[in-house]
Amino acid sequence: MGNSVDVVIPIYKAGNDFVKMLEKLYKQSKRPEHIYLLQTIESKDEKLFDKEKCSHGLANIISVHPIKKSDFDHGATRAYGALMAKSEYVLFMTQDAVCYDDYVIENLLNAFDDRKVGIAYARQLAREDADEIERMTRENNYPEESIVKTKKDEKKLGIKAYFCSDVCAMYRLDVYKKLGGFVKKTIFNEDMIYAGWMVKKGYGVAYVSEARVYHSHNYTCMQQFHRNFDLGVSQAEHPEIFEGVPSEGEGIRLVKKSMAYLTKTGHIWMIPGLFFQSASKYAGYFLGKRYKKLPEKLILSCTMSPEYWKKKK
């Protein structure tokens, strides 16, 4: 079972593009042993993903597991998938992440030659339809240089020391189990909550730029607001991880870099859009961090995860 890998992917209304994504996973130089699809369903009559749409060999390693929409949780649902994994490593992905080449899994595995590494996550490349602001954001969060982040980097990197993304991230399963795995109830950000805890326990988070996936979103200002509200909530709910490592400074640095990038590339006309998008992010994050002071109606209008708050009651 040495260097064996299982894959866990939460899915929701997955279409034909998802089949192509799975086929790329199956063509990896290091092929997964099993792929667990955790499908969020809205009713008991909803059809599960038909794995027979996939090639015969791929279909044989896929299993589909229904999750009621009311039961979905970013942490608990992935923790459920991790419980099923039998391999030495488990790779978490999202349904909209597409492998750039055939070496994503192999490159992530190489990071674990360092026994202190507990997580290795991939570089995210902007899709062809990404606008310039989104492209810049991807390049800022996922640069060309690989790095292993440990506790000694907390002061230098701040919140970035805990940065990790389950869009495509591989976990050493024995370390994951030893540390208790994902928090079982979280609105969002389960990857950074676990990564932060792992770093504090003396393990390393490896960013592997050679492992690349296509993944980007052209979010509207309101979508950015909702997303960052939930991000703020997740940090407020876990002061044991995030207290003392504020995100605001990183956000300001990104805005400055983005303005310089748009000016340099001749996209000055996009700067007002950058301003409104950045303001939306900050407003959402600011309110999310202070959600305990907000009335329930306002929280429900700010969040992108109303189901979370219904369960919280």
Side-chain angles (χ1 to χ4, degrees), residues 6-232:
D6 287 338
V7 180
V8 174
I9 310 175
I11 63 172
Y12 179 63
K13 298 186 184 300
N16 290 330
D17 286 347
F18 181 58
V19 175
K20 296 175 185 176
M21 178 270 200
L22 290 173
E23 294 290 354
K24 281 185 171 289
L25 260 183
Y26 190 61
K27 291 176 182 176
Q28 290 289 297
S29 60
K30 174 65 179 177
R31 189 171 285 174
E33 301 291 319
H34 201 94
I35 299 174
Y36 300 95
L37 304 182
L38 312 179
Q39 181 175 344
T40 298
I41 58 172
E42 295 179 326
S43 73
K44 62 181 181 180
D45 300 322
E46 186 174 332
K47 290 183 179 179
L48 294 183
F49 174 77
D50 182 8
K51 66 180 185 178
E52 299 308 322
K53 292 179 180 177
C54 304
S55 60
H56 180 69
L58 172 57
N60 284 342
I61 65 169
I62 291 175
S63 60
V64 186
H65 306 267
I67 307 285
K68 290 181 183 177
K69 190 174 183 181
S70 58
D71 292 336
F72 176 83
D73 181 277
H74 283 278
T77 298
R78 287 177 172 86
Y80 173 56
L83 283 174
M84 290 186 277
K86 303 291 191 296
S87 293
E88 190 176 352
Y89 301 93
V90 57
L91 174 63
F92 290 95
M93 296 187 73
T94 54
Q95 70 186 61
D96 58 347
V98 179
C99 293
Y100 172 82
D101 57 23
D102 297 339
Y103 304 100
V104 176
I105 292 178
E106 182 180 326
N107 284 323
L108 289 173
L109 274 173
N110 288 339
F112 293 97
D113 289 344
D114 180 348
R115 287 298 305 172
K116 276 292 182 182
V117 169
I119 307 175
Y121 68 99
R123 182 181 185 187
Q124 294 181 31
L125 304 175
R127 300 177 188 275
E128 284 186 9
D129 64 350
D131 63 32
E132 291 301 318
I133 296 174
E134 176 66 2
R135 200 170 294 279
M136 175 63 203
T137 301
R138 294 291 145 184
E139 290 177 4
N140 178 75
N141 290 336
Y142 304 95
E144 292 183 1
E145 303 80 24
S146 297
I147 185 175
V148 176
K149 300 172 287 186
T150 61
K151 190 169 176 58
K152 65 179 175 60
D153 297 308
E154 286 178 319
K155 190 172 182 180
K156 175 186 173 184
L157 297 177
I159 196 77
K160 281 280 193 177
Y162 309 151
F163 185 72
C164 175
S165 175
D166 278 345
V167 163
C168 184
M170 187 178 291
Y171 290 63
R172 195 189 297 272
L173 201 52
D174 60 349
V175 172
Y176 172 89
K177 290 177 179 177
K178 179 181 176 182
L179 298 184
F182 293 123
V183 60
K184 302 305 185 293
K185 190 174 183 182
T186 181
I187 191 168
F188 187 49
N189 215 24
E190 81 295 330
D191 36 23
M192 282 186 68
I193 294 168
Y194 174 78
W197 180 245
M198 196 189 70
V199 166
K200 289 179 183 295
K201 290 295 182 179
Y203 292 94
V205 177
Y207 165 60
V208 186
S209 64
E210 298 83 7
R212 293 165 289 179
V213 294
Y214 288 111
H215 180 262
S216 58
H217 294 285
N218 292 323
Y219 287 130
T220 65
C221 288
M222 280 308 297
Q223 287 172 322
Q224 294 283 16
F225 173 87
H226 294 312
R227 183 177 178 82
N228 280 269
F229 178 84
D230 287 359
L231 176 64

